[in-house]
């Protein structure tokens, strides 16, 4: 009982429900291990009693972080302050328009009071009028709403108790995308143009956006996470296990677009590198080779080192200095980690002891010794940010109502830059995953260390705010992988199977408030990937704040009723509707059953191939029958291209705000980009987009494809939408 109470006080679950009628108890060893990762010693009954007594004896006037939503009632932490308490808010300097630069804005002072006669305020201040009952949904009359931002709040009670906390003041909802917009979903590395250096790059992304906006009326292009990867040979190819989520990977640079490229003196060396890059692309496009990120980076690194020798012009130098000042310590730490990884390897746990902490004297010496390499990696971050901005400008110039939709991975690699530079923020010895469910009886372990919710709250969510601000700087919208992680994550202790994990809760109110605030500042929308097991109330909470969900056609059934496919009008409005994702079969593979054959060949089926094929064909037949009844399949059975078009006609008929088209679907690609449950058995994250026969196709060939243009005909824009106040227009 004591362990359960202690766990509850720290947001650690001691049981969970994989289905409404099933409750599973979490092993005590798991609970003890998770508490230890949160700095709570529960190893013995005596330790439990001691920690429980200490936790229950602490009485906080305010939690570490307090959230207020504009126009909504105050949270209990503020509404319940003792009458007569003095409340002072120190706003962020940048959040008060017109305030002189470099000078902090004046604090906002107020006095909490009851509905009874008001108490006098400090000498020299006018006495407040008696408080009237607040209107429904409004804050009390004594409260002076601060501007949107992350502030400091100070409270002093009449009995002289004091507290200071972070105050997140957020608008009530996110900006919304234009209604009825469509766009492409693509893994950028897989999109090679004729000029690529062996994998798709930011020049290709800008070109795709410019073409899609102008030629087929698309409103967005959604890409995979472009986060910095952990270097090494081989590099982990998954974009969902990055070294850092805060900074992008320079492997995505289009080298020739860098202004200094044309002024490199050693043209012969550049020509040699370009020839090698052309050979890489030729091998991928015409010789059956896989995308080799390591080989691409080796060539680009050499080219970028030549480019870095070119002096910056005064204007470029000023822009670079501004970037350094804006990014601050976070960029310096990231660049130093990159420099140290070049010398000591990519896993900081194996570095010399003196270098394993970012603020150690040994690290300070290394920072000085590696100054040139640190500057090189800072410059790469600056160049990559510039090309990200250029891609978004290209999308906007092409008339896209959203532009580039970036992707936020759920976590980072345990050996990478983020875990080194923010060690105190991560729960070491823990990994994020998923509990056992109907689709995976063994659960999942993703190998990603989770953020500690207590440290996030104590630091005012500084790391989370910086992460979002960096990602949103050049985005039209943001997709959040496993958005349920804003509420809770499944923690798996190191060395244990995923079945021995448990849920750890996060302050969802604070996580959402920071997200809404930063997206509001950037003017961007947010799409949450909410597929799989979702706790009750999560989708409703996300919808209330304007976070769109993700709806994939094959999963949209009446699960609480007869299980049949949902008619288009029964779909939710606030979502991105798609036929597939990077983790699922392409639409052609789904329609033909090719994905079952692939999984059988790799030994991934849990039933016989005949059983799997029967179940799959039955599922597909139900959908095709619905499409036929709705007269969306006039060509009849047996026409694969027509069926793919019909699927997208259906998606377009739903009320979904956004409709996403998997770019490989436009040319009939049958191969998934990632096959969950495999590692070296399948070339995950290394395949170029291909035609139905598996022959790779370039960006130029994709955009000229009759099959693509036939598919996009069914997605022509709906009637013009009149945007309500506060909504962006296409």
């Amino acid at each position: 009982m004591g362990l359960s109470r202690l766990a509850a006080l720290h947001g650690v679950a001691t049981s969970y429900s994989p289905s409404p009628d099933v409750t599973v108890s979490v092993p005590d060893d798991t609970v003890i291990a998770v508490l230890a990762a949160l700095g709570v010693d529960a190893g013995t009954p005596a330790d439990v009693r001691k920690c429980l007594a200490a936790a229950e004896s602490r009485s906080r006037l305010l939690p570490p972080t307090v959230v207020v939503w504009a126009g909504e009632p105050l949270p209990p932490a503020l509404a319940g302050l003792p009458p007569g308490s003095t409340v002072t808010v120190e706003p962020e300097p940048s959040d008060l328009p017109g305030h002189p630069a470099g000078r902090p804005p004046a604090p906002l002072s107020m006095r909490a009071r009851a509905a009874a006669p008001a108490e006098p305020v400090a000498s020299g201040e006018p006495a407040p009028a008696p408080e009237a009952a607040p209107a429904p949904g409004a804050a009390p009359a004594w409260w002076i709403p601060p501007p949107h931002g992350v502030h400091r709040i100070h409270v002093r009670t009449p009995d002289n108790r004091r507290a200071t906390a972070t105050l997140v003041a957020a608008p009530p909802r996110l900006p919304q995308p234009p209604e009825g917009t469509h766009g492409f979903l693509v893994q950028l590395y897989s999109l090679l143009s004729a000029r690529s250096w062996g994998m798709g790059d930011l020049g290709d992304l800008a070109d795709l956006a410019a073409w899609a906006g102008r030629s087929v009326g698309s409103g967005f292009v959604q890409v995979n996470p472009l986060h910095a990867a952990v270097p090494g040979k081989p590099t982990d190819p998954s974009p969902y296990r990055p070294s850092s989520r805060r900074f992008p990977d320079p492997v995505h640079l289009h080298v020739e677009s860098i202004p200094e490229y044309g002024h490199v003196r050693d043209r012969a060396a550049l020509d040699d590198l370009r020839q090698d890059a052309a050979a890489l692309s030729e091998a991928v496009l015409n010789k059956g080779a896989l995308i080799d990120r390591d080989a691409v980076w080796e060539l680009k690194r050499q080219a970028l080192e030549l480019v870095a020798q070119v002096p910056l012009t005064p204007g470029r130098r000023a822009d670079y200095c501004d970037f350094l000042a804006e990014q601050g310590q976070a960029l310096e730490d990231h660049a130093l980690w990159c420099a140290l990884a070049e010398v000591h390897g990519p896993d900081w746990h194996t570095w010399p002891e003196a270098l394993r902490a970012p603020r150690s004297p040994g690290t300070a010496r290394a920072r000085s010794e590696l100054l040139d390499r640190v500057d090189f990696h800072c410059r790469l971050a600056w160049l990559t940010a510039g090309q990200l901005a250029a891609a978004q400008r290209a999308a906007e110039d092409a008339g896209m109502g959203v532009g580039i939709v970036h992707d936020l991975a759920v976590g980072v690699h345990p050996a990478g830059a983020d875990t080194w530079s923010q060690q105190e923020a991560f729960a070491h010895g823990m990994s994020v995953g998923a509990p056992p469910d109907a689709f995976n009886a063994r659960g999942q372990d993703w190998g990603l260390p989770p953020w500690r919710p207590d440290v996030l709250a104590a630091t005012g969510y500084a790391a989370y705010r910086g992460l979002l601000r960096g990602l949103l700087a050049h985005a039209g919208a943001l997709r959040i992988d496993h958005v349920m992680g804003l509420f809770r994550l499944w923690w798996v202790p190191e060395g244990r199977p995923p079945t021995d994990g448990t849920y750890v809760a996060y302050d969802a109110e604070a996580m959402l408030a920071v997200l809404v605030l930063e997206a509001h500042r950037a003017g961007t929308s947010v799409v949450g990937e909410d597929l799989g097991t979702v706790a009750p109330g999560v989708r409703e909470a996300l919808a209330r704040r304007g976070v769109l969900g993700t709806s994939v056609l094959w999963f949209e059934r009446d699960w609480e009723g007869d299980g049949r496919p949902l008619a288009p009008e029964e779909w939710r409005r606030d979502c991105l509707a798609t036929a597939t994702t990077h983790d699922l079969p392409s639409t052609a593979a789904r329609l033909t059953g090719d994905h079952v054959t692939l999984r059988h060949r790799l030994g991934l089926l849990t039933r016989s191939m005949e059983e799997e094929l029967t179940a799959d064909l039955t599922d597909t037949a139900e959908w095709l029958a619905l499409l036929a009844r709705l007269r969306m399949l006039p060509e009849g059975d047996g026409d694969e291209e027509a069926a793919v078009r019909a699927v997208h006609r259906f998606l377009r008929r739903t009320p979904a705000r956004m409709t996403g088209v998997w770019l490989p679907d436009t040319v009939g690609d049958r191969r998934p980009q990632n096959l969950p449950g495999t590692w070296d058995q399948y070339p995950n994250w290394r395949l170029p987009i291909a035609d139905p026969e598996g022959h790779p196709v370039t960006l130029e060939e994709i955009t000229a494809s009759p099959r693509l243009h036939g598919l996009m005909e069914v997605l022509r824009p709906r009637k013009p939408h009149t945007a309500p106040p506060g909504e962006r227009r296409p």
Side-chain angles (χ1 to χ4, degrees):
M1 186 64 181
L3 181 62
S4 296
R5 293 211 325 268
L6 184 62
L9 288 172
H10 292 87
V12 179
T14 54
S15 65
Y16 67 97
S17 297
S19 60
D21 56 342
V22 176
T23 299
V24 178
S25 295
V26 175
D28 285 353
D29 286 351
T30 295
V31 176
I32 292 169
V34 170
L35 285 171
L38 293 169
V40 180
D41 184 0
T44 68
D47 293 329
V48 170
R49 289 192 295 271
K50 179 180 177 182
C51 290
L52 188 58
E56 292 179 337
S57 66
R58 285 194 295 266
S59 177
R60 294 188 64 98
L61 188 58
L62 290 178
T65 297
V66 180
V67 171
V68 293
W69 301 95
E72 297 186 12
L74 289 185
L78 294 180
L81 288 173
S85 298
T86 300
V87 181
T88 303
V89 175
E90 296 181 43
E92 281 182 338
S94 61
D95 280 354
L96 288 183
H99 202 83
R103 292 178 56 192
L108 305 175
S109 296
M110 57 206 88
R111 181 70 64 85
R113 58 188 189 271
E119 302 203 16
V121 295
S123 176
E125 296 182 9
E131 181 178 349
W142 62 265
W143 174 252
I144 303 173
H148 299 327
V150 181
H151 317 300
R152 295 296 288 170
I153 184 169
H154 308 276
V155 172
R156 178 166 57 85
T157 66
D159 59 358
N160 211 33
R161 288 183 294 148
R162 298 171 184 265
T164 297
T166 299
L167 178 70
V168 181
R173 277 178 62 83
L174 286 157
Q176 296 296 288
E179 190 170 342
T181 188
H182 69 77
F184 292 108
L185 320 177
V186 62
Q187 300 283 294
L188 180 57
Y189 59 83
S190 71
L191 180 69
L192 282 74
S193 68
R195 65 183 186 180
S196 300
W197 285 36
M199 61 182 279
D201 58 39
L202 291 170
D204 298 324
L205 176 59
D207 206 37
L208 174 65
W211 169 83
R214 289 184 169 90
S215 298
V216 294
S218 294
F220 65 91
V221 175
Q222 178 182 302
V223 295
N224 54 287
L226 304 182
H227 309 320
V230 177
K233 293 186 178 180
T235 299
D236 186 337
S238 172
Y240 292 92
R241 292 192 80 214
S243 169
S244 173
R245 297 188 294 172
R246 174 65 182 81
F247 296 101
D249 198 313
V251 75
H252 300 111
L253 281 168
H254 180 242
V255 179
E256 292 95 327
S257 294
I258 299 171
E260 289 73 37
Y261 177 87
H263 300 279
V264 172
R265 290 188 177 183
D266 193 345
R267 306 307 300 179
L270 276 185
D271 288 344
D272 288 344
L273 291 170
R274 289 183 62 182
Q275 288 180 13
D276 291 344
L280 278 181
S281 286
E282 171 69 13
V284 172
L285 293 172
N286 297 312
K287 297 181 179 179
L290 299 175
I291 292 170
D292 188 341
R293 183 192 184 101
D294 297 327
V296 173
W297 174 238
E298 179 61 25
L299 296 178
K300 288 192 177 183
R301 181 189 59 76
Q302 295 179 53
L304 291 166
E305 287 174 342
L306 292 172
V307 169
Q309 295 173 14
V310 178
L312 297 174
T313 64
R316 293 273 288 166
R317 168 64 61 181
D319 185 65
Y320 179 44
C321 291
D322 283 351
F323 180 80
L324 293 175
E326 179 183 333
Q327 303 302 319
Q329 188 70 55
L331 175 58
E332 186 176 334
D333 286 345
H334 174 73
L336 177 57
W337 182 91
C338 293
L340 288 169
E342 291 176 334
V343 178
H344 300 288
D347 186 350
W348 61 268
H349 300 91
T350 66
W351 292 355
E353 186 71 31
L355 301 177
R356 294 180 193 173
R359 303 291 172 259
S360 72
T363 300
R365 287 192 297 273
R367 197 182 301 266
S368 177
E369 294 165 358
L370 297 171
L371 191 59
D372 288 345
R373 295 306 294 178
V374 171
D375 181 69
F376 175 68
H377 289 290
C378 285
R379 187 180 291 205
L380 295 186
W382 170 60
L383 294 173
T384 311
Q387 292 195 6
L388 288 169
Q392 178 62 14
R393 285 196 302 272
E396 292 171 347
D397 291 347
M400 285 190 168
V402 177
I404 308 302
V405 182
H406 287 282
D407 197 350
L408 172 60
V410 72
V412 294
H413 196 286
D418 281 4
T419 58
W420 176 75
S421 62
Q422 304 168 16
Q423 292 177 39
E424 68 288 344
F426 287 92
H428 300 281
M430 294 288 145
S431 177
V432 173
D437 57 26
F439 300 99
N440 192 330
R442 293 173 293 183
Q444 300 176 55
D445 184 343
W446 303 331
L448 309 170
W451 263 336
R452 285 181 53 165
D454 56 331
V455 174
L456 285 178
T459 57
Y461 295 84
Y464 178 49
R465 285 155 40 204
L467 166 62
L468 291 173
R469 197 166 296 181
L471 283 171
L472 294 169
H474 309 301
L478 179 67
R479 173 192 181 270
I480 299 181
D481 191 42
H482 193 70
V483 72
M484 296 81 77
L486 299 181
F487 296 76
R488 66 179 188 179
L489 282 172
W490 184 258
W491 288 22
V492 181
E494 185 176 355
R496 298 171 188 262
T499 50
D500 284 355
T502 190
Y503 280 114
V504 176
Y506 290 75
D507 185 344
E509 194 80 349
M511 298 288 277
L512 279 172
V514 171
L515 173 64
V516 171
L517 172 65
E518 294 298 341
H520 178 82
R521 285 170 159 169
T524 57
S525 308
V526 175
V527 177
E529 185 271 297
D530 57 351
L531 304 174
T533 302
V534 183
V538 167
R539 286 196 175 104
E540 292 77 8
L542 292 170
R544 182 184 180 195
R545 299 303 171 195
V547 178
L548 304 185
T550 300
S551 293
V552 178
L553 181 129
W554 311 102
F555 303 152
E556 290 298 306
R557 290 174 171 270
D558 182 11
W559 297 113
E560 296 181 0
D562 58 15
R564 293 185 180 278
L566 286 180
E569 64 272 12
E570 295 176 304
W571 284 43
R572 54 181 168 171
R573 175 173 178 264
D574 293 327
C575 75
L576 166 64
T578 71
T580 189
T581 73
H582 59 267
D583 281 335
L584 296 172
S586 70
T587 304
R590 175 79 69 169
L591 291 167
T592 59
D594 283 6
H595 68 108
V596 177
T597 305
L598 173 62
R599 290 168 58 226
H600 171 70
R601 190 169 71 245
L602 296 175
L604 299 177
L605 298 183
T606 57
R607 296 181 291 183
S608 70
M609 185 175 177
E610 291 72 19
E611 289 177 298
E612 289 279 354
L613 275 175
T614 299
D616 185 72
L617 291 173
T618 300
D619 181 270
T620 302
E622 282 191 280
W623 279 103
L624 291 175
L626 175 59
L627 296 175
R629 286 198 302 274
L630 295 174
R631 300 182 179 178
M632 294 181 181
L633 190 55
E635 299 86 350
D637 295 338
D639 188 330
E640 177 196 305
E641 284 190 46
V644 173
R645 289 195 298 270
V647 163
H648 289 84
R649 277 194 194 96
F650 182 97
L651 294 176
R652 197 62 168 158
R653 181 81 65 85
T654 73
R657 277 188 171 273
M658 301 172 71
T659 303
V661 180
W662 179 235
L663 190 60
D665 273 350
T666 66
V667 290
D669 197 346
R670 282 169 162 69
R671 306 176 303 177
Q673 282 294 315
N674 179 50
L675 190 59
T678 63
W679 175 244
D680 55 0
Q681 308 99 311
Y682 185 81
N684 296 319
W685 318 112
R686 289 173 287 172
L687 292 172
I689 297 174
D691 65 17
E693 287 72 41
H695 300 143
V697 289
T698 63
L699 170 60
E700 293 83 358
E701 292 168 330
I702 293 170
T703 57
S705 165
R707 179 166 179 157
L708 177 146
H709 286 277
L711 174 58
M712 298 313 292
E713 278 295 314
V714 309
L715 294 171
R716 284 189 176 279
R718 301 169 182 167
K719 294 180 180 180
H721 167 64
T722 302
E727 181 178 306
R728 296 185 302 176
R729 292 177 179 272

